[in-house]
Amino acid sequence: MQFFDRSGGVMNLQIKQRINKLQDAIDRWLSPGNDHLREAIDRSVKEGFFSFPDIKYQIQALKKSIKRGELIRWAEQANHTEWISEKKKVLCLHAGNLPLVGVQDILAVALSGHHYIGKISRKDPYLPQTLLNSLKNDGLISGRWSVELPDLKGERADALLFSGSVHSVDDLLEKLSELDIADNKTPQLMRTAHFSIACIEDNSSETMHHLADAVFRYGGKGCRSVAMVVAPFSLNSSKCEFTDYVESFWLKNPQHEKPSGSLYYRYAYNKAAGIEQAWLDDFLIEETEHEPTEPFILHWVQGDRNKAAELANKYRQRLQTVYVTDPSAKIENAPVEPELMRDAQNPPIWWKPDGQDPLKWLIELK
């Protein structure tokens, strides 16, 4: 069987074989019989890094998204039809806000054929290493990784993949330079988006169910998590109903991390200022158009698709995407293409964080 890229080129046999081998390795890694992954899950839960429901959800999402056909599609979209002629050292600085949030970057390096160097987050120290060990044992990744950045001193990366806060970039590059790992001249793919917007147009059971999952999964800590919703109705008219969906979600998925006491002070301020809101003890929903900058807050805005486009453009520097409920819906003049809200927390393996395909970026490295 031959595989063709989008421009009609035939995919290199070596790439096809690598995809097949990568899929086999992923299947073994995600299998119920993988004791190393099971132990990493147990440690992550016992040591308080993540809740079991959140890890289980992520594992199930990866099982659905990492399929041979999806890996082929990813390679096609990235125009990965020829094997790279020169291996580069790629440093991946992994975030730890969600369990296994760095899987896409790891697979991008493995699929590209480059050499991997990894800084594993202290907030997710065990889970990613089970994948890396599996890929290394199968000859799909070569390199080093550590939870401690000084352990990678002198590696001298040729490229850098980073996901995190834009405010930490300068300090990070300074530290990398001190350790002779990378500097300002090192090619960098920085993903710094912080939140997403949902544009809903009804309050059906399906819509409210997907909205609750998009907002409250992982405590709202992901860049794909909804921090602002635009709806044709006010918060006051729907907060009792929506709260029922939230409580139902929390019964099955208790919120792992609790907010600081400052969240209650914000609630008290809103109450004094006459701002419509819903206090959920560990989360606050408020009817404001303020830029989402604080965790555990959902901003509710009454409006339509035009309003969603206006807000998306206003906050585009920190925006990941805009979600809709109708596959045919268009958000005219929005800075990003809309995605379906039902896929907010389980994107395809080939999705583009901040509009950038990490695999395409890696295979085009010079």
Side-chain angles (χ1 to χ4, degrees):
M1 180 183 294
Q2 289 184 327
F3 301 116
F4 297 85
D5 68 22
R6 302 295 179 187
S7 61
V10 179
M11 188 179 293
N12 184 291
L13 177 61
Q14 194 172 3
I15 296 174
K16 291 187 287 186
Q17 292 173 336
R18 193 170 188 82
I19 288 174
N20 290 335
K21 192 174 181 180
L22 187 58
Q23 183 62 62
D24 290 342
I26 293 296
D27 288 343
R28 288 193 298 274
W29 173 60
L30 290 173
S31 70
N34 184 350
D35 292 337
H36 297 296
L37 179 57
R38 186 167 62 249
E39 290 170 5
I41 292 172
D42 289 343
R43 289 190 70 181
S44 297
V45 173
K46 288 178 181 178
E47 296 182 25
F49 292 108
F50 305 107
S51 69
F52 179 74
D54 280 350
I55 297 176
K56 180 181 178 181
Y57 182 91
Q58 180 71 291
I59 295 292
Q60 291 176 337
L62 291 174
K63 284 183 177 180
K64 293 177 182 178
S65 65
I66 309 177
K67 298 293 186 183
R68 182 169 172 271
E70 295 299 278
L71 292 173
I72 291 170
R73 178 174 179 177
W74 191 12
E76 288 177 341
Q77 290 183 165
N79 200 25
H80 190 27
T81 58
E82 297 293 332
W83 199 242
I84 58 172
S85 58
E86 181 184 355
K87 280 191 175 184
K88 304 283 189 179
K89 283 187 176 182
V90 180
L91 172 63
C92 294
L93 298 167
H94 296 298
N97 53 321
L98 313 181
L100 289 165
V101 70
V103 163
Q104 188 191 47
D105 284 353
I106 293 172
L107 295 184
V109 176
L111 191 52
S112 71
H114 286 305
H115 185 83
Y116 173 87
I117 308 168
K119 165 59 176 72
I120 308 301
S121 173
R122 291 189 182 91
K123 297 179 180 179
D124 186 12
Y126 307 127
L127 297 171
Q129 298 198 64
T130 62
L131 171 59
L132 289 165
N133 287 329
S134 295
L135 296 180
K136 190 168 188 177
N137 290 339
D138 284 1
L140 288 161
I141 265 190
S142 60
R144 298 172 58 193
W145 54 87
S146 176
V147 175
E148 302 296 334
L149 192 59
D151 289 346
L152 305 175
K153 183 177 181 179
E155 275 290 351
R156 204 57 200 171
D158 299 305
L160 170 63
L161 293 182
F162 169 80
S163 297
S165 170
V166 67
H167 303 296
S168 64
V169 171
D170 290 341
D171 290 342
L172 174 63
L173 289 174
E174 182 178 346
K175 184 65 174 178
L176 292 173
S177 180
E178 291 174 0
L179 294 170
D180 195 28
I181 299 174
D183 55 35
N184 287 320
K185 296 180 181 179
T186 306
Q188 303 159 14
L189 180 57
M190 300 288 195
R191 281 72 53 87
T192 58
H194 184 70
F195 71 94
S196 295
I197 294 174
C199 180
I200 65 173
E201 297 176 294
D202 63 70
N203 60 352
S204 68
S205 176
E206 182 179 30
T207 295
M208 293 293 105
H209 170 77
H210 289 314
L211 180 61
D213 191 73
V215 174
F216 295 96
R217 175 67 60 183
Y218 308 122
K221 294 176 66 177
C223 65
R224 293 181 62 89
S225 297
V226 170
M228 177 173 281
V229 58
V230 178
F233 37 83
S234 67
L235 172 60
N236 185 55
S237 67
S238 56
K239 64 181 177 183
C240 290
E241 180 185 7
F242 183 52
T243 298
D244 289 341
Y245 285 94
V246 176
E247 291 176 349
S248 177
F249 176 85
W250 275 342
L251 282 174
K252 298 178 182 177
N253 309 278
Q255 188 164 299
H256 177 65
E257 187 176 339
K258 305 300 183 181
S260 68
S262 63
L263 187 66
Y264 183 81
Y265 295 137
R266 182 159 179 151
Y267 163 74
Y269 170 81
N270 287 346
K271 187 174 182 180
I275 295 173
E276 188 63 46
Q277 60 185 337
W279 173 248
L280 306 179
D281 291 333
D282 295 326
F283 221 98
L284 177 65
I285 307 175
E286 62 178 41
E287 195 163 35
T288 66
E289 296 184 15
H290 301 320
E291 180 179 7
T293 57
E294 301 295 328
F296 309 110
I297 297 173
L298 173 65
H299 300 261
W300 191 286
V301 180
Q302 186 170 358
D304 56 13
R305 296 181 188 180
N306 290 331
K307 187 64 177 181
E310 174 192 322
L311 292 168
N313 280 291
K314 184 177 181 179
Y315 301 128
R316 64 190 304 164
Q317 296 301 319
R318 303 179 73 240
L319 177 71
Q320 182 59 249
T321 193
V322 176
Y323 299 118
V324 294
T325 56
D326 180 356
S328 64
K330 301 293 183 183
I331 307 294
E332 299 294 339
N333 301 316
V336 294
E337 286 295 317
E339 298 182 41
L340 286 175
M341 187 169 65
R342 68 187 182 206
D343 298 328
Q345 301 291 10
N346 44 69
I349 194 60
W350 39 263
W351 80 285
K352 300 176 180 179
D354 287 21
Q356 297 273 2
D357 182 345
L359 177 59
K360 184 176 179 63
W361 188 82
L362 287 172
I363 64 176
E364 292 178 351
L365 274 175
K366 302 299 183 182

